[in-house]
Amino acid sequence: MAPLQSFLMKMGVNTSDHASIVSINLFVALLCMCIVIGHLLEENRWMNESITALIIGLCSGVIILLTTGGKSSHILVFSEDLFFIYLLPPIIFNAGFQVKKKQFFRNFMTITLFGAVGTLISFVIISLGVILLFKKFDMALLDLGDYLAIGAIFSATDSVCTLQVLSQDDTPLLYSLVFGEGVVNDATSVVLFNAIQNFDLNHIDLRTAFQLIGNFVYLFFTSTLLGAVAGLLSAYIIKKLYFGRHSTDREVALMILMAYLSYALAELFYLSGILTVFFCGIVMSHYTWHNVTESSRVTTKHAFATLSFIAETFIFLYVGMDALDIDKWRVVKSSAGKSIGLSSMLVGLVLLGRAAFVFPLSFISNLTRKTPEEKITFRQQVIIWWAGLMRGAVSMALAYNQFTRVGYTQLPGNAVMITCTITVVLFSTVLFGMMTQPLIRLILPHHSKPAHGVSSEPSSPKSFLVPFLENGSGEGPDSARSVARPSSLRMLLRAPTHTVHYYWRKFDNAFMRPMFGGRGFTPFIPGSPTESSNNVW
């Protein structure tokens, strides 16, 4: 190694830079391996991309341990900044960009109920559980702030893994509920976590509780508004300036940069970047995506999906490798039994905390649903409970933020909590993730899928051909409105003028789409995206 270092120094290459280059090469090679092995295991009902990446990360950590003689087990230290700033935004944006909007907003109140109220219930149960039970494990080094932070950390479901184990085509209702809840849940958990760090916990009273609730409501609506404004601004700019006449690259670049700008602005103003970029994706898919040229539609669809896929795989590979960080395990090696006991207790509290809100809140939600077909059945509630048990990178990032400094800790209590978080993340992702699809096949066979789960409009750019046909670019503008939509018609006849969706569509058609563009409302102007579509069809 010494000759290599001296050679690099003579060449003017810093050895630390060389180490970074080696790390990058290794990670890129492992990402390629994850893609290849994931493709080979595509038809395996027990495996998915996230579990494959976790296992490859674990195996890589073992190999590094063996090759370094037990001195090192990681090539990169887990960084919450890397996760929140670079990896999470493309995943959440693509989920909002691809989501079936009618299904999502039809269940929006239930999603908000699960994601906000449910997270608070889970937070209270987990926090009380660790306060009462951690005393038996001699965890006196932790204070009240640490206990409450643990409640927020383990209340955060893994919305990233939900994308891997649920399909919005096969189980649209479950997907919209579990993933939508996961997005709101992540935002709520981060808000709770930040509030715990900012509020004076030695003087908790009713006023502090109201401040916490008011802070969450403010963040929720402000973050959502910022994402919507960013999406509408991109739609208006592209609709008015018609970049596609000269360069489709500018259209694609503007969409990507505006999406990321919304997330960066949210973080700058201490809002929820998760909610902001999610709703920016929804608005962009509803307006902006229909204003660009055909080639830009294809490019953005695949570009966003590819970035999201790489970021997801990177996160699970990263978590798998970091799970074998020998430095943290050395600190807790004398208390392995304590770590196992605490991890088991935390898994139990996660199970209890989720059950405590899924079933009662589902009952409350069913009271507001008019027909039996719209109600969430008990079997579906079991799937919702199970699919939301996975804990992932958000929990890891919050745990590192609370219990480490720059990814490292030498305090026994903090090291125990980091190793417990890693254990719970690995256990829940592998076990609950592997069992979700088989459980769905067992509890919800194909013939019992609810018919109302089928979306009546292609509100996401999953397929770039169907929206073109519905734009009226095939045989005139009236052809878009003549497309048969039986489920939408039945719903309209059932409640013709009393649904929020009905009033929104009237407002959208009369004001929003004429101004910002969208499906069927892009004006025919020479050199515009509409002209290009008409020429194609």
Side-chain angles (χ1 to χ4, degrees), residues 86-104:
Y86 301 110
L87 298 178
L88 191 61
I91 297 172
I92 302 300
F93 174 80
N94 184 65
F97 195 69
Q98 303 280 7
V99 76
K100 293 182 177 178
K101 295 185 289 295
K102 179 174 285 189
Q103 187 66 238
F104 177 81

Side-chain angles (χ1 to χ4, degrees), residues 181-255:
E181 175 221 332
V183 173
V184 180
N185 167 283
D186 287 345
T188 307
S189 299
V190 173
V191 169
L192 280 172
F193 184 83
N194 291 333
I196 290 166
Q197 293 185 322
N198 295 330
F199 282 108
D200 182 8
L201 299 176
N202 295 320
H203 301 86
I204 298 178
D205 52 18
L206 191 61
R207 181 181 178 184
T208 304
F210 279 115
Q211 283 181 334
L212 183 61
I213 295 172
N215 189 33
F216 170 75
V217 172
Y218 165 76
L219 286 176
F220 184 91
F221 286 104
T222 309
S223 303
T224 302
L225 180 63
L226 177 60
V229 169
L232 291 173
L233 183 60
S234 68
Y236 187 79
I237 292 173
I238 290 177
K239 179 174 177 289
K240 289 297 182 182
L241 298 182
Y242 309 120
F243 291 96
R245 287 181 300 179
H246 306 294
S247 172
T248 58
D249 297 338
R250 291 172 184 167
E251 290 181 323
V252 177
L254 186 65
M255 289 183 69

Side-chain angles (χ1 to χ4, degrees), residues 113-163:
L113 195 65
F114 282 176
V117 179
T119 303
L120 289 173
I121 294 173
S122 179
F123 164 75
V124 170
I125 290 177
I126 295 175
S127 298
L128 289 176
V130 296
I131 290 173
L132 296 174
L133 299 176
F134 268 38
K135 295 178 182 177
K136 298 180 180 180
F137 291 92
D138 190 25
M139 296 292 290
L141 295 176
L142 301 180
D143 56 22
L144 178 61
D146 292 326
Y147 291 138
L148 295 179
I150 292 170
I153 289 167
F154 290 99
S155 296
T157 62
D158 188 11
S159 54
V160 177
C161 201
T162 303
L163 296 171

Side-chain angles (χ1 to χ4, degrees), residues 394-415:
V394 173
S395 296
M396 290 276 289
L398 295 180
Y400 272 77
N401 186 292
Q402 179 71 21
F403 297 109
T404 69
R405 295 294 178 269
V406 199
Y408 294 97
T409 181
Q410 293 296 324
L411 300 176
N414 289 357

